[in-house]
Amino acid sequence: MPRPPRSLAYHQGHGRFNHFARSFRTGYPLSLWTSRARDQGNDDDGDSCFVHYGCPPSYDDDPFGAFRRVNAPIAEIDDGKSSALHNNNEAVTLKVTSVEFNIVENCRHHHTSEFDVTQSDETPNPQLVVRRGQPFNITVTFNRPYDKSKDDLRLIFQAGDEPLPSKGTEVEIVLSDFDLPKEWGAQISKQDGNLLDLTIFTPPNCYIAKWKLKVDVLKKADRKTTIYRYSHGEPVYILFNPWCKDDMVYKEDGLQEYILKDTGKIYAGYEDDIEPRPWNFGQFEEHVLDCAMYLLNRSQLKWPARGNPIKIIRQLTALVNAPDEGGVLEGNWSGDYKGGKPPLTWTGSAPILQEYYTKKQPVKFGQCWVFSGVLTTVCRALGIPARSVTNFCSAHDTDGSVCIDIHFNSYGEVDEKVNSDSVWNFHVWNEAWMARPDLPPGYGGWQVVDATPQEISGDEGYCCGPASVVAVRNGELGLLYDVEFVFAEVNADIVHWYPRDGSFVRAKTINNCVGLEISTKSVLGDEREAITYGHYKYQEDSPEERAALLNALGKRDDRRLKQRDQQYESMYDVGPKDVECELVIKDGVSVGEDFDVILQVKNKSSEERTVGGRLAAKTMFYTGVEGDKVKKLQFQDSVQGGKCMEQTMEVQVEDYRSKLKDMCMIKLTAIARVQETNQVLTLQKIFKLSKPSLTIKVPSIIKQKQSFDVEVSFTNPLDESLTNCYLEVEGPGLQKRQTHPQRNVKPKQTLVTIIELTPRKLGERELVIIFNSDQLEDINATKVVHVM
């Protein structure tokens, strides 16, 4: 073996100990270095002898990859010449023989016991997962009893592939008799023979990472320092700690839901027909925590930012989507999902994160609720309190005007060619809880964060937030991050434009029509909690609401908007606005049923009015994008003064059956013009056809690791057969995602099938089952079971 460079040898007084740690990278056994250096007459003043044993560190390309245990007993690395190993003191030299992380006890105190990676039943190699700012205990076993009057111990924690004290990624700890609750530290809690119990303290701003542990025993004699190093073969995962008052994510209540709950509801539909979608967040499932750590590494955040939830969450909103960084999930709103999985068929986050972690390629495909579900999972896995939030009638403002401009063509249909703004039937984002020391006081708490790739945020790509919900409510558009965009989503006015003389005139402005029924799952159970007023908005027409709106409008470039409005107002000569219209459709129309669309016209004047126009129905995507034409009706009729009339358009199953989009939504539009006054009326209404239900039956008694049968039944409501049918079954702690193909289901026929499950974990668990076919998809149901 060639002689190692002399510069790699550590000399007391000529450098800090981290020089020694870096010397591992050359691959030379350290005991050979020092013994051969002495043999060749290089015994400088302050010589030090190093003996490494236990597990050498792994310097992989992926610093968050698996740590490989390497057995390197002393006898194998000793060349027969090391005086540290062959002298009369060998029997009394203190050496570490093992370190026990006490995983069960520590994880129970740190609320991390549910992670599969910590459980011996789930993995052959359990890992320790703890939360920062809270002590944990380890047990060190020596070859003889530790004597603090004679033996010097040093603990070293390292993160990343090139740990450095200057970056805070290498921390040296000596034992102390004092508690150090806000700093790195260690103290002896108990000694029993060769066993030494140590309490480890981590600071509440500790970097979120996998940390490596090394234990050094220092022996000083005859002007020489001999260091015996033990490197533990497994990492310590250190997470955010919302139970710690000094952590930026500290929250007094709700943590059973916002950190520990691994199932929940994400709301969809529209404001008059809100549908709870079951979702398995699965933050404790296999590979999910490792995937979250991998995302942090991919973020390329500087290490000082790795302890800051503001910086981390902003990066996560970019990394959960795929456009910029090749993140977790690729969005698709086209309706063509070849080469991937349709968004509606996902039931949880864990399979998405597991696939991404395994393949390191974006998973196909997602839409807003899927992006939100995945981000909720990653946040909860890392220890950031988070929840999914749905905004109904969610405005998508593309030009920063805080107005949504919708143009109609002469046929009474929305002119998609000139529309860049849109209103989604619903949009799902997230809220994450944290302090905001980067903002004025009072803006901490819930923050809007959104991983759906809608608009580029500055020069940082497709990311959104964290935007303080308090700032959104108060109209503080200038505060970081993306408050203006979120404010428009919940507060924008809608302006309808009607074609006239080769241009467009403003038909009407609609206030208070976006940001409706903003919803999240309650902490009290499976109920929906409406958080529109008092959270995102003040009550409509209250002094606070007016003040917030004026505050927001004052921060826009109003000059351009005023010029635009004045220009079109001057072109628009309108008489009395004395005719009112309303679109009416009965509630509870199911897929497979005919329905009527009724336009009610009321003449409030004392004179006759002639009203003409068009009614149209189209299928649509939940984003507000129109699909296929279903039916249209042109009309003209006279309405006597003070009277009403109705125009009815009959829609049959054959008109829409083959045209329905993912969520069975129908968009109705009406445009009418009053001949005598030039008054123009424009109306839009969204409704959703109801899907059939899925029934789940389970036994009354269910025991861990004992199989049980689940009966699933479903009735086809259509007059055609359902083909390519299958069930997907998933439940954290119950069942990893499985697909069960089913036979075709004939018209009006009931499918009954039995699925066998074997529960893995104890306690209350939620089972999610979804039925899909070519003709109908996303027929879902949940069942809570208690595993004994």
Side-chain angles (χ1 to χ4, degrees), residues 214-233:
K214 298 175 172 61
V215 184
D216 288 348
V217 178
L218 284 70
K219 191 72 175 178
K220 297 180 180 180
D222 299 329
R223 298 170 57 207
K224 293 180 174 61
T225 299
T226 305
I227 301 175
Y228 298 87
R229 165 162 288 192
Y230 173 90
S231 295
H232 195 65

Side-chain angles (χ1 to χ4, degrees), residues 201-260:
F201 299 91
T202 61
N205 61 349
C206 177
Y207 301 158
I208 307 306
K210 291 181 184 180
W211 290 81
K212 311 163 192 174
L213 171 65
K214 298 175 172 61
V215 184
D216 288 348
V217 178
L218 284 70
K219 191 72 175 178
K220 297 180 180 180
D222 299 329
R223 298 170 57 207
K224 293 180 174 61
T225 299
T226 305
I227 301 175
Y228 298 87
R229 165 162 288 192
Y230 173 90
S231 295
H232 195 65
E234 307 299 339
V236 180
Y237 296 70
I238 299 184
L239 312 181
F240 288 106
N241 191 353
W243 284 270
C244 174
K245 292 184 177 180
D246 296 305
D247 197 312
M248 286 177 64
V249 301
Y250 170 70
K251 195 175 189 308
E252 287 186 323
D253 53 15
L255 297 181
Q256 185 65 36
E257 176 75 26
Y258 302 133
I259 291 291
L260 301 180

Side-chain angles (χ1 to χ4, degrees), residues 507-523:
K508 66 177 177 181
T509 300
I510 310 171
N511 301 313
N512 307 330
C513 59
V514 302
L516 307 179
E517 295 293 337
I518 304 174
S519 303
T520 190
K521 179 184 173 297
S522 171
V523 296

Side-chain angles (χ1 to χ4, degrees), residues 105 149 236 370 421 622 638 714 763:
E105 177 187 0
S149 65
V236 180
V370 189
D421 296 340
Y622 83 95
S638 297
F714 160 78

Side-chain angles (χ1 to χ4, degrees), residues 19 37 77 84 154 211 259 293 386 448 616 675 734 752:
H19 297 170
I77 66 171
R154 176 166 52 198
W211 290 81
I259 291 291
M293 291 290 184
V448 175
Q675 287 186 1
L734 276 176
V752 179

Side-chain angles (χ1 to χ4, degrees), residues 119-359:
Q119 299 183 8
S120 58
D121 288 346
E122 298 291 335
T123 175
N125 192 25
Q127 311 283 296
L128 176 61
V129 182
V130 296
R131 302 189 186 275
R132 67 184 189 178
Q134 180 177 341
F136 62 95
N137 297 313
I138 65 173
T139 300
V140 183
T141 303
F142 297 98
N143 61 324
R144 63 163 174 79
Y146 164 77
D147 185 347
K148 69 177 182 178
S149 65
K150 299 178 180 178
D151 301 314
D152 290 329
L153 284 183
R154 176 166 52 198
L155 306 181
I156 298 168
F157 284 89
Q158 296 176 333
D161 56 349
E162 293 187 355
L164 291 170
S166 60
K167 302 298 184 184
T169 53
E170 181 174 296
V171 181
E172 298 178 0
I173 304 173
V174 294
L175 301 185
S176 170
D177 293 330
F178 304 98
D179 287 351
L180 300 170
K182 296 184 180 181
E183 301 176 29
W184 284 98
Q187 64 177 201
I188 298 172
S189 55
K190 179 184 176 182
Q191 182 169 2
D192 183 8
N194 292 6
L195 303 181
L196 190 67
D197 289 344
L198 300 178
T199 300
I200 310 297
F201 299 91
T202 61
N205 61 349
C206 177
Y207 301 158
I208 307 306
K210 291 181 184 180
W211 290 81
K212 311 163 192 174
L213 171 65
K214 298 175 172 61
V215 184
D216 288 348
V217 178
L218 284 70
K219 191 72 175 178
K220 297 180 180 180
D222 299 329
R223 298 170 57 207
K224 293 180 174 61
T225 299
T226 305
I227 301 175
Y228 298 87
R229 165 162 288 192
Y230 173 90
S231 295
H232 195 65
E234 307 299 339
V236 180
Y237 296 70
I238 299 184
L239 312 181
F240 288 106
N241 191 353
W243 284 270
C244 174
K245 292 184 177 180
D246 296 305
D247 197 312
M248 286 177 64
V249 301
Y250 170 70
K251 195 175 189 308
E252 287 186 323
D253 53 15
L255 297 181
Q256 185 65 36
E257 176 75 26
Y258 302 133
I259 291 291
L260 301 180
K261 187 71 171 176
D262 56 5
T263 59
K265 299 288 189 295
I266 298 178
Y267 296 93
Y270 68 106
E271 69 274 15
D272 293 330
D273 186 9
I274 297 175
E275 172 192 356
R277 290 183 53 80
W279 194 262
N280 288 324
F281 296 112
Q283 67 267 33
F284 304 119
E285 296 290 290
E286 181 184 20
H287 296 321
V288 170
L289 181 57
D290 282 311
C291 187
M293 291 290 184
Y294 173 75
L295 289 175
L296 291 186
N297 185 48
R298 284 211 54 197
S299 72
Q300 297 183 343
L301 283 169
K302 302 299 183 184
W303 275 104
R306 287 285 291 266
N308 186 337
I310 301 169
K311 302 295 185 182
I312 285 178
I313 195 70
R314 184 158 175 79
Q315 285 296 307
L316 289 177
T317 66
L319 287 165
V320 167
N321 64 61
D324 296 318
E325 297 83 6
V328 174
L329 193 61
E330 182 176 325
N332 187 338
W333 288 264
S334 69
D336 180 3
Y337 306 119
K338 293 178 182 177
K341 187 174 172 62
L344 273 175
T345 61
W346 293 111
T347 57
S349 308
I352 297 171
L353 292 164
Q354 289 162 346
E355 179 180 337
Y356 178 73
Y357 184 65
T358 301
K359 298 181 179 179

